[in-house]
Amino acid sequence: MGSVSFEETAEIPSQPQNSSSPTTVFNGKSYEIVREGLAEILNPQVKEASDSTQNSKVPKPQTVFYNPIQQFNRDLTVLAIRAFGSDIAAIREARQAAGPGSRRGKKRKRGKEDESSSVGKRNYSAAGDGSTEVVGEGNNLEAADEVNSKAEDDSTVFGTNIGAETDAPPSNGSTTSTRASEFRILDALSATGLRAIRYAKEVPMTTSVVANDLSRQATESIKLNIDHNQVSGKVSVTTGDAQTHMHNAASPLNRGKPSLYEVIDLDPYGTAAPFLDAAVRAVVDGGLLCITCTDAGVFASLGYLEKSYSQYGGLPFKGPQSHEAGLRLILHSIATSAARYGLSIEPLLSLSIDFYARVFVRVRRSPAEVKFLASKTMVIYNCDEGCGAWSTQFLSQSRAKKDKNDDTIYKFSLAKAPSVNQYCSHCGLKTHLSGPMWGGPLHNPHFIRRILATLPSLSRETYATIPRIEGMLSLALHEPASFVTHPASTDSSVQPLTESVPEAENAPAFPSVHPSVRDTHPFFITPSSLAKVLHCVSPSEAAFRGALMHLGYRTSRSHTKPGTICTDAPWAVIWEVMREWVRQKAPIKADAIKKGTAGWGIMRHDRSRKGLNEAKRQLTERWDRCDGLSELKTELEAALWRVEEAMRADERDSHQGGEGTGDGSALVPGVDRPGPDPDSQPSAEDIPTHTLNIVFDEALGKEPPGKRMLRYQMNPRPDWGPMNRAKGP
């Protein structure tokens, strides 16, 4: 993970710069001034509570909703939009320099090079070797997009390009350069207008911000705050339904007019699901969606699984990993909403923060990229009532291959089903289904680095949450995206996507993650949860990480919870490590685990019983194929012969100076450690775990000393949460 150390938990004030709340009088009314970033908002003062309610835990009612708890959300969003804005400006400059019609309107023959065709195209992260790949005729994504985009211009799928480079002049008479210089932001659910004002004052490339709210009282408050901050030249106010506003912006009647937005921020009270269809259509091609969902009780718990399906199109995950699964459900909902209009998404940053989820998603008009959606959508078979293991099943397969011109093309096919048994292969208990959910990477590491690179130059008085932003993004940078494999790569070994590349980091526009990449190692484990299953003392994080790293597997942390370990090790290896922990370091009593429990099922796979278990498995497989008594007799005799041969082999090993396992391990064919095949996952019987040399090396697993960072924040005050809705006067 690099030379970075983390404070597990720390306590910081929710609004350090607001230790005192100054007041002002405007139009005869008294207001409390709330300062955040470079903005100030006027919050109407509420009458003092009576003595009987002074000590009540119920927060003061608000006439217009403002939540100081989400200052982290707003600070992070400002920095994300600034990083995205510099990227979109670089793309526009490249396209404008290439001249009109350089991206569209030119028919090209496959296999022929065009010097101008590479200007302004999307760069994709390669398999993780640090290089980048220009997408052109090589995999036909750009060419396919040109054909499909031409067809869509005559259909009902609406949108625009980042620079709106078309050969025909815009209908409103504006020039291409005028559109290319615009950077419009929509704060669709604005409340006090704080976000809109901060974007106008803190995002340099912003040309206009629209602050919308359904409540007329809220829009009056926004106008008051706009005048107070003197940003009326950039920020305009609309009163209306956010869905209607965004659908109108995407209407064909507005085509050619500056009606679409480079950035749309959705920060609702609850779920953002009702706004997604309108939002993906109202953002420009290549634009950014910033989406918050505060209904964690729906997407991250089983309390309302039927509502989770209706809102996000998938069932939630039961277990400590539920919040990461919630992020994937939200991304799945955005991706399916966008796909209906020939739009693809790329998650730039996806975070589980306190009581809510926040995702930053780039939206492109690319029917060719939409084709990868099914192969990046997965369901989970979760042993939630047993050992906690899970298996993933992607809905389809995408295979990269070379055509006769040596270009990379993709073939899509159905996935094998089912990929696992209904009973857990590790403990034998029932598994349950979760999903479908997003199975691609949660972040773009290049985007995260762009944000992190800006932090040293920022004022910590203006951005009070910088310590937490730095810590959380540093964790997100090294999450399981580093374990994924590029399907187009001829090398099947695991390749990291998170290596810092000078060419990519210094480029004006950061590369995109290739649309075929998927995360084959989602979620995390916690040593304490594993130890709970076996009723043993928990290994330390350093000891457990060291054991996995000694076996050649990768490890990192998850930003969602402290004490977590992300790894590409299969569950068969994880449980073998725990069995060895029990044998070497933390023996348990014979009667500590009851028969029929998950721990009992796990310990049955102990390496001392490996030969017996393998003999039973082989006999069961052949038993089912027997059609008569004679065949059954033959199989029984063959099984006895294999057992005797295995016992003689163990005896020979012991006489020759070897340890002699005595477990009949000769019954298990020796195979190499399987690579990360996204379409098949090794079960407990597929990996010869009894041969693993497991060493609990704490020195290897301990994080190297380095800069201390804050990530896992303690709640700064009681009743930490989304707060109550505004009630009005």
Side-chain angles (χ1 to χ4, degrees), residues 545-604:
R545 285 161 52 94
L548 294 177
M549 295 171 69
H550 184 267
L551 294 173
Y553 295 101
R554 304 170 189 266
T555 64
S556 66
R557 288 176 177 259
S558 170
H559 78 275
T560 59
K561 286 182 182 293
T564 56
I565 298 176
C566 303
T567 181
D568 58 344
W571 272 102
V573 172
I574 291 171
W575 279 123
E576 181 63 19
V577 170
M578 284 303 300
R579 285 189 289 267
E580 275 298 284
W581 170 259
V582 170
R583 188 178 71 86
Q584 297 181 23
K585 306 289 186 179
I588 57 178
K589 295 181 180 179
D591 58 347
I593 303 177
K594 296 182 180 179
K595 185 176 181 179
T597 63
W600 182 80
I602 294 295
M603 295 306 295
R604 290 190 68 196

Side-chain angles (χ1 to χ4, degrees), residues 249-326:
S251 169
L253 299 177
N254 292 322
R255 186 171 297 179
K257 300 178 183 179
S259 58
L260 300 184
Y261 297 94
E262 276 68 26
V263 178
I264 294 179
D265 190 340
L266 295 175
D267 184 34
Y269 191 96
T271 180
F275 306 97
L276 297 181
D277 260 47
V280 296
R281 297 181 61 235
V283 72
V284 300
D285 181 8
L288 178 69
L289 294 182
C290 312
I291 298 174
T292 299
C293 292
T294 62
D295 58 331
V298 174
F299 63 71
S301 78
L302 296 184
Y304 306 93
L305 61 87
E306 71 285 351
K307 189 172 183 180
S308 173
Y309 185 82
S310 62
Q311 296 276 36
Y312 301 107
L315 298 175
F317 187 97
K318 182 180 179 181
Q321 304 82 6
S322 60
H323 286 81
E324 179 184 332

Side-chain angles (χ1 to χ4, degrees), residues 47 69 179 245 251 460 478 525 689 701 717:
K47 294 181 180 180
I69 296 170
R179 178 57 187 159
H245 180 95
S251 169
R460 300 208 172 198
H478 296 90
I525 58 175
T689 54
R717 68 180 190 219

Side-chain angles (χ1 to χ4, degrees), residues 388-441:
W390 63 81
S391 300
T392 60
Q393 167 78 62
F394 288 90
L395 299 188
S396 73
Q397 303 178 40
S398 61
R399 302 287 187 185
K401 64 178 184 179
K402 298 291 185 179
D403 64 6
K404 60 182 180 181
N405 295 323
D406 202 34
D407 294 329
T408 302
I409 60 175
Y410 290 87
K411 180 178 178 61
F412 302 91
S413 59
L414 295 174
K416 299 176 182 178
S419 59
V420 295
N421 196 310
Q422 61 177 326
Y423 294 97
C424 177
S425 61
H426 308 284
C427 69
L429 273 65
K430 291 182 180 179
T431 60
H432 294 99
L433 186 68
S434 298
M437 62 182 67
W438 175 262

Side-chain angles (χ1 to χ4, degrees), residues 520-532:
T520 55
H521 302 283
F523 309 129
F524 56 81
I525 58 175
T526 56
S528 59
S529 298
L530 302 178
K532 184 178 179 181

Side-chain angles (χ1 to χ4, degrees), residues 196-246:
I197 294 169
R198 290 195 63 179
Y199 299 156
K201 301 187 75 170
E202 300 175 34
V203 181
M205 65 283 299
T206 301
T207 57
S208 64
V209 183
V210 175
N212 176 80
D213 203 283
L214 184 61
S215 167
R216 187 165 297 278
Q217 182 176 359
T219 54
E220 290 299 323
S221 175
I222 296 171
K223 293 176 183 177
L224 174 67
N225 290 322
I226 289 173
D227 292 337
H228 178 74
N229 287 271
Q230 301 178 355
V231 289
S232 57
K234 278 190 176 182
V235 183
S236 59
V237 184
T238 60
T239 305
D241 178 70
Q243 298 178 64
T244 303
H245 180 95
M246 291 185 286

